[in-house]
Amino acid sequence: MPRIVYAKDCGAVYFYEEDSEGNFLDLSEVYSLNSSYTTTEKAFFLLEELILNEENFTTCVPKNTELLDCSFSNGILTINFSCEALNCAGNFNQQLFVEQIINTVYSIEEIRGIILLIDGEESALPEGVDFSYFNR
């Protein structure tokens, strides 16, 4: 289980590192966040960092996935991805993709639950991995 960072002005983006035996190890990048950011802005920033992956870490985010929007209300973060998020091949990769999202946004203390959407609709990933609602 990855180490979760709980700090008002910090957040973490979760990637993976592959060892010599092909095992995926959790790797987190901690970012300082502007204290004036809203919870939505913090989440948007961290998710954009996850998608952009400028350091070329190992990730299970499908290529060309876009973060369309996110909103925060009553402890619940709703995240809306583009349809490219459906291009995640294989059950194992899909589970890692969902874990990356969950671990990244749960590094923000205020978030108690997550609703994941694809093009504005609740959906399951192609291998049947639940992609709808998660509660801390």
Side-chain angles (χ1 to χ4, degrees):
M1 184 73 167
R3 177 182 59 85
I4 304 293
V5 176
Y6 294 111
K8 275 279 192 228
D9 299 330
C10 290
V13 177
Y14 287 83
F15 295 101
Y16 297 102
E17 191 172 49
E18 197 168 355
D19 68 14
S20 61
E21 296 173 7
N23 299 311
F24 286 97
L25 309 172
D26 294 319
L27 172 71
S28 63
E29 284 289 300
V30 177
Y31 292 85
S32 291
L33 300 172
N34 188 319
S35 60
S36 66
Y37 281 4
T38 65
T39 300
T40 300
E41 290 169 327
K42 290 176 186 179
F44 198 93
F45 173 81
L46 294 175
L47 289 167
E48 280 289 300
E49 291 297 318
L50 175 64
I51 291 168
L52 292 174
N53 189 15
E54 292 176 339
E55 301 292 325
N56 290 318
F57 292 117
T58 301
T59 182
C60 291
V61 176
K63 285 193 181 291
N64 302 317
T65 297
E66 293 179 36
L67 175 60
L68 301 178
D69 60 28
C70 64
S71 60
F72 180 74
S73 179
N74 298 319
I76 306 297
L77 181 71
T78 301
I79 306 167
N80 187 17
F81 289 107
S82 64
C83 64
E84 288 79 8
L86 293 171
N87 296 333
C88 195
N91 188 282
F92 180 70
N93 285 340
Q94 289 175 19
Q95 287 177 315
L96 291 179
F97 171 43
V98 171
E99 285 177 21
Q100 279 186 278
I101 296 165
I102 292 169
N103 291 334
T104 295
V105 297
Y106 278 164
S107 73
I108 301 169
E109 184 177 23
E110 299 87 0
I111 297 174
R112 308 303 321 149
I114 305 167
I115 297 172
L116 298 173
L117 306 174
I118 297 178
D119 282 337
E121 302 290 326
E122 289 185 13
S123 181
L125 292 172
E127 300 288 326
V129 173
D130 183 23
F131 197 77
S132 55
Y133 181 77
F134 301 91
N135 200 0
R136 198 187 300 223

